[in-house]
Amino acid sequence: MASSGGRESSGELKVGVAVRPLAALVAQLRSLLADLDPGQLPARDAAEVVAVCDQLSRMADAGKALAAGRVAESSLWSRGGHRSAAHWMAKVCGISVGDAVRML
């Protein structure tokens, strides 16, 4: 896996082969959400969108924690000049170091 958060000029993440299916899902989800017009949704559908997006968020958090654990056990984070794996994760994810420590 080649990415540590970099972006190509097209705005898509640079990723390794193993990550490409997830990156494709992200692109598809981005497209679906861009086309979503909440004002045109029946309230029941809107409530279901909230529930589905919550499931997506939980799955994404679980995947992020699992993969971050692998980075933490490697030296990849230190090669980027970070003080700890939590500091690396905080930078990559845009979260506090404390939140990164809790997630790791």
Side-chain angles (χ1 to χ4, degrees), residues 68-83:
R70 173 65 181 109
V71 174
E73 68 187 19
S74 76
S75 62
L76 182 63
W77 58 267
S78 64
R79 285 187 263 158
H82 301 283
R83 293 187 347 200

Side-chain angles (χ1 to χ4, degrees), residues 18-43:
V19 184
R20 289 181 186 153
L22 288 173
L25 284 172
V26 168
Q28 184 178 8
L29 181 59
R30 182 179 292 118
S31 176
L32 288 170
L33 291 175
D35 293 340
L36 184 69
D37 182 356
Q40 298 300 312
L41 287 177

Side-chain angles (χ1 to χ4, degrees), residues 65-102:
L66 290 170
R70 173 65 181 109
V71 174
E73 68 187 19
S74 76
S75 62
L76 182 63
W77 58 267
S78 64
R79 285 187 263 158
H82 301 283
R83 293 187 347 200
S84 69
H87 284 84
W88 166 82
M89 187 169 181
K91 172 131 175 108
V92 169
C93 298
I95 59 176
S96 72
V97 173
D99 285 343
V101 167
R102 283 185 285 282

